[in-house]
Amino acid sequence: MNPQTEPETPFFPRPKSLKSFDDGQAALTAYDTRVAEIRERMKDKDLTVSTVRLAPDRFVVFVDGPDAYAPYAVLHEAGVKRTAYETVTDGTIVKRPDWEELTNLDGDVLLYVSASGFESGPDDALEKQVTENPLWQLLPAVQAGRAHRVDRGPWQSFHGISSANRILDDVERYILADE
């Protein structure tokens, strides 16, 4: 296959930042190797991870299941265990808990995205508003000091292999950090 002349497909888009098809294959192979190594390290972890997107007037939980949105499929592929509330067997992609249901995010680690708009100012203000709420303070990961804001770019606007690697960076930084 010549990436300069062959059409893109949804399954293997022509790499725009890579010089050749071989570079794309090398990037995928490196990703597969990395995710396998992380999955092996996760086997020894007896912990669960919760995730949530903070949005104005609502929460969005992207679940682990057969139709998981790409960043959360990467978590699954890396062997990250989600809580029972965040794991489904049907086609559910998101749950939208209210403040009271937020207590279902009882993972040992909490990764969250603050997404109030396209500027960091509103995102920061939203994060402050939510994280200062007494109900947020009751979450186990918050109480344990293991709640971490992650970059919205790869978590909300997933763009292939580079975003997948940034998700794995967060797994290593926030979940595997205490090895």
Side-chain angles (χ1 to χ4, degrees), residues 42 44-51 80-84 86 103-111 139-148 174-176 178:
M42 286 300 302
D44 297 332
K45 293 289 182 186
D46 184 28
L47 56 80
T48 55
V49 176
S50 288
T51 65
V80 173
K81 297 172 201 91
R82 304 281 298 281
T83 66
E86 298 168 82
T103 60
N104 290 312
L105 301 180
D106 58 357
D108 303 296
V109 176
L110 174 64
L111 304 177
L139 297 176
V142 172
Q143 292 181 342
R146 297 200 70 190
H148 308 281
Y174 300 122
I175 301 169
L176 293 170
D178 61 349

Side-chain angles (χ1 to χ4, degrees), residues 3 63 76 81 88 94 115 124 151 153 155 167:
V63 298
H76 180 87
K81 297 172 201 91
V88 299
V94 298
D124 295 343
D151 181 25
W155 289 89
I167 301 300

Side-chain angles (χ1 to χ4, degrees), residues 5 13 15 17-18 51 56 105 131 136 141 166:
T5 60
S17 63
L18 302 173
T51 65
L105 301 180
T131 60
W136 177 267
R166 290 179 65 195

